[in-house]
């Protein structure tokens, strides 16, 4: 059908989004309107004690909606924690899912809904190839309302669910439009509870979603062209619609992230970052991310003892946003020559005067801009400060290789040697 | 539930969009993937002889998809022409609809799908109140793929279908999210066939979608607050998401509309305007339009003898985009004081240096900018040049009154005297 070797089209899809301070108080009515009789409410143990879950429970009770609550979602979920949630979902025979939390909760809920709708499937069936089988999803999933409580993931807008595959010490995931939530209910009041470091790390996720989707291989240079539109991948490369979202999210990050981190009571800054995470989510959900995300999965998966400030969890973690942003100076220095104008535009949006900068210097300038931005936000000084040494680089590279689903969207082709150099350059930032 | 009198939330929804030169050649595969056995293809008599329909028919044939074609769509449809298409749809028992055309075709196809899915309904049941009954849509509609061939309507992204109610000599419509196409297939090659005046008039529709949604009453000042989210209207006022779409669409109009009108072979300009119509459609489809659109319906509905250049139709018409743009200088001069910054920003995007302009002059400056823009594009000199005189103003005002669904989104409240003055000020533009 498609006579060209590279793709010539892109498709934009996103969840419906409802945004407003206090909007979650309506959720019981929405569920009533949907005729929900048996709702699965997923969250984690920290959030279950906090207002975002309290408001939802009050609304369900007030509108007589029956539900069961699952609060064992693991922050930075694993195949094991996904499977526990899936078992809960299978036993519950739920008709609607509600996820109240950050990306970990929303992703876990997507997976639970998926496998409960496909009770015969093996766990690896829908996991992205080459780790899993990447089979098509044939059943119709139950409606899922996502209520994000961090300003980072964008999971409320996307068809992606990410987890740590513990045996491989690497993150992977499931990516399929069928996973997109029915509705993202974005209530900026929910972000006021975030500890400062959670606000920072989730903000870095927004930053990288925007930067990576803005610099991703353009849709019409991506190959091969899908032979049938049904094979169109979730991540299609940068395109004129995702560009609009990426640029806009980047502008909000530049304007508000520092304020949102420094003052949890800065409602304007926290609300703006919440909306920026939606914008960036719609952008990267269609365009894709590339090297920062691809390399972040082994950084998170190989964690040894790092305890993340501000996270109330019992296991060592490198929070997702942190694992993504630590390689960003090295990555964009590496990719800049493929689209220097975009790298310079990003540096400019982030506050650097680029009027007299040559194209050849675009990579260095964006890298310096990012380093200065991260320094101001008191980010750990590179991979060495989250427990990695030179000796770990081979396993970090090995863990990046299977992330081809995202790394192939890098505008610049790369070898294992390139990845080695990128990890090495990310050991220290300042 | 909602304790505040004004609304405090907005919801963003849009159709999936697939964009690419030649993308329509895939449609047969999409229909095969959907399991379509009996497709209704709607178009008009001009288009049925042109490449956009030819490409679709070739693809259906190649993939063995059975279809029936309906080519009697009326340009600027009426209740009567809607009903004819509905009868065709009811008799056909179709399982998928494909609309290839401008807003007239896509809107007619939406209505045909709606009433064929609700065979017991009276025509007025779903028409917007107060003209119709505005009843909720309870059935699930069949999938509809919209293939826009003009760069204006944005109908491929919205849940709106507009028609002339001939008895009332005014346009009205049906507005419900259920009408949103399943997929908008945006193939920029399709816009190359548009005659110059069609490109101009449909571009004016984009211009006004962007300007009106950008200046519409903000979502959090709109009242009343819906008592249940199910009553959330399609048009919710300007909001941070629709603003992104509106600003971006306006920038493309400023850069490309004149080129697209002057040279049908300017692929970059025509492609860009095609995408701008999508952007503006998503923006106004969520935020709404206001006075230019509300006042355009009687301007189109009361047409006497005006023959539109470039339109191959047998009846007098004032094309939609023209009927919308003729009042725009007067309208934005009237609304500017409610949000002068936005009116100045729009003037600036359209090319005027506003650096030393006072807020009080925002209305005059945007109106002058629009007049100059329209003059350059050789637009008819006001309502007088499409057949109206002062004597017609009372019936134009009378026809605007029932358009409250849109006019209530005007940032400035208005009386019948105000409408009279706006029509009077629009008799001549230059």
């Amino acid at each position: 059908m498609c006579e060209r070797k590279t793709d010539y089209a892109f498709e934009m899809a996103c969840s419906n989004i409802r945004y407003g301070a206090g909007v979650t108080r309506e959720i019981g009515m929405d569920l009533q309107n949907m005729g929900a009789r048996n709702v699965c409410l997923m969250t984690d143990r920290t959030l279950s004690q906090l207002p975002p879950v309290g408001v939802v429970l009050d609304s369900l009770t007030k509108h007589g909606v029956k539900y069961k609550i699952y609060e064992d979602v693991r922050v930075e979920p694993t195949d094991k924690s996904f499977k526990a949630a899936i078992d809960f979902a299978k036993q519950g025979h739920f008709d609607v899912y509600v996820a109240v939390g950050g990306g970990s909760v929303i992703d876990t809920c997507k997976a639970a809904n998926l496998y409960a709708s496909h009770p015969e499937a093996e766990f690896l069936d829908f996991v992205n190839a080459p780790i899993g089988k990447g089979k098509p999803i044939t059943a119709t999933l139950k409606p899922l309302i996502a209520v994000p409580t961090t300003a980072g993931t964008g999971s409320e807008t996307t068809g992606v669910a990410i987890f740590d595959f513990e045996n491989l010490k690497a993150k992977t995931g499931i990516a399929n439009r069928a996973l997109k939530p029915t509705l993202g209910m974005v209530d900026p009041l929910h972000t006021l509870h975030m500890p400062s470091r959670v606000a920072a790390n989730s903000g870095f996720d927004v930053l990288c979603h925007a930067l990576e989707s803005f610099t991703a291989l353009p849709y019409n240079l991506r190959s091969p062209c899908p032979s049938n539109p049904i094979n169109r991948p979730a991540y299609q490369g940068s395109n004129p619609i995702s560009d609009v979202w990426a640029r806009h999210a980047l502008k909000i990050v530049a304007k508000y992230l520092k304020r949102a981190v420094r003052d949890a009571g800065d409602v304007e800054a926290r609300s703006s970052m919440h909306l920026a995470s939606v914008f960036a989510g719609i952008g990267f959900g269609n365009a894709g991310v590339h090297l920062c995300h691809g390399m972040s999965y082994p950084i998170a998966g190989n964690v040894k003892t790092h305890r993340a400030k501000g996270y109330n969890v019992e296991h060592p973690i490198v929070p997702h946003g942190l694992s993504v942003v630590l390689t960003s100076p090295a990555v964009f220095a590496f990719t800049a020559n493929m689209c220097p104008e975009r790298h310079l535009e990003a540096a400019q949006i982030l506050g650097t005067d680029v009027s007299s900068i040559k194209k050849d210097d675009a990579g260095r300038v964006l890298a310096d801009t990012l380093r200065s931005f991260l320094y101001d936000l008191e980010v750990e000084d590179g991979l060495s400060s989250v427990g990695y040494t030179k000796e770990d680089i081979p396993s970090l590279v090995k863990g990046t290789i299977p992330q081809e689903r995202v790394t192939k969207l890098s505008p610049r082709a790369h070898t294992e040697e390139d990845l080695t150099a990128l990890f090495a350059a990310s050991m220290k930032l300042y």
Side-chain angles (χ1 to χ4, degrees), chain A residues 296-316:
Chain A
S296 81
Y297 299 139
I299 294 171
N302 285 273
V303 63
K304 298 169 191 173
T305 57
H306 185 70
R307 298 274 162 182
K309 278 179 279 181
Y311 288 76
N312 180 22
V313 294
E314 288 152 14
H315 50 276

Side-chain angles (χ1 to χ4, degrees), chain A residues 17 164 302:
Chain A
I17 295 295
D164 275 312
N302 285 273

Side-chain angles (χ1 to χ4, degrees), chain A residues 51-264:
Chain A
V53 170
V55 169
V56 168
L57 292 181
D58 285 351
S59 184
L60 297 187
T61 306
K62 184 171 170 187
H63 293 93
V65 177
K66 285 194 185 162
Y67 66 90
K68 287 205 182 79
I69 187 163
Y70 181 83
E71 54 185 30
D72 291 338
V73 168
R74 181 182 151 110
V75 176
E76 308 299 336
T78 63
D79 49 331
K80 195 173 144 198
S81 80
F82 263 23
K83 283 174 187 165
I86 290 165
D87 286 343
F88 181 84
K90 282 183 174 173
Q91 284 160 28
H93 300 286
F94 300 109
D95 54 5
V96 181
Y97 291 80
V98 175
V100 183
S104 300
V105 172
I106 299 173
D107 286 7
T108 301
C109 196
K110 288 175 180 172
N113 184 11
L114 169 63
Y115 288 94
S117 305
H118 274 276
E120 78 301 336
E122 302 279 336
F123 182 69
L124 282 178
D125 281 357
F126 302 121
V127 172
N128 298 321
I131 294 174
K133 296 180 189 162
K135 286 191 185 173
I137 293 174
T138 52
T140 302
L141 275 59
K142 303 293 184 192
L144 190 165
I145 300 180
V147 184
T149 60
T150 60
T153 168
S155 182
E156 66 279 6
T157 71
T158 74
V160 178
I162 301 290
F163 64 94
D164 275 312
F165 207 146
E166 290 191 302
N167 285 348
L168 293 181
K169 293 198 175 178
K171 291 207 174 196
T172 181
I174 307 165
N176 192 297
R177 291 198 179 80
L179 295 189
K180 274 187 303 161
T182 320
L183 177 66
M185 209 178 259
V186 182
D187 186 336
L189 300 181
H190 288 178
T191 61
L192 301 180
H193 75 91
M194 271 195 296
S196 171
R197 291 327 293 173
V198 178
N201 290 329
S202 53
F204 297 144
D205 200 17
V206 179
L207 173 66
C208 288
H209 287 160
L211 286 173
E212 290 174 70
S213 59
F214 189 51
T215 56
L217 194 68
Y219 75 97
N220 51 3
L221 296 181
R222 196 173 50 77
S223 64
C225 180
S227 58
N228 181 316
I230 211 170
N231 298 323
R232 187 164 284 289
Y235 288 172
Q236 308 168 85
S238 61
N239 62 67
I241 296 190
S242 64
D243 287 348
V244 175
W245 295 112
R247 274 196 185 94
H248 192 68
L250 202 55
K251 285 178 190 168
I252 301 182
V253 169
K255 185 168 179 186
Y256 288 113
L257 180 56
K258 290 182 184 174
R259 280 173 51 181
V261 171
R262 286 184 186 147
D263 180 3

Side-chain angles (χ1 to χ4, degrees), chain A residues 418-429:
Chain A
D418 292 326
L419 293 175
T420 300
L422 290 172
F423 281 116
S426 304
M427 283 293 164
K428 280 190 74 67
L429 296 180

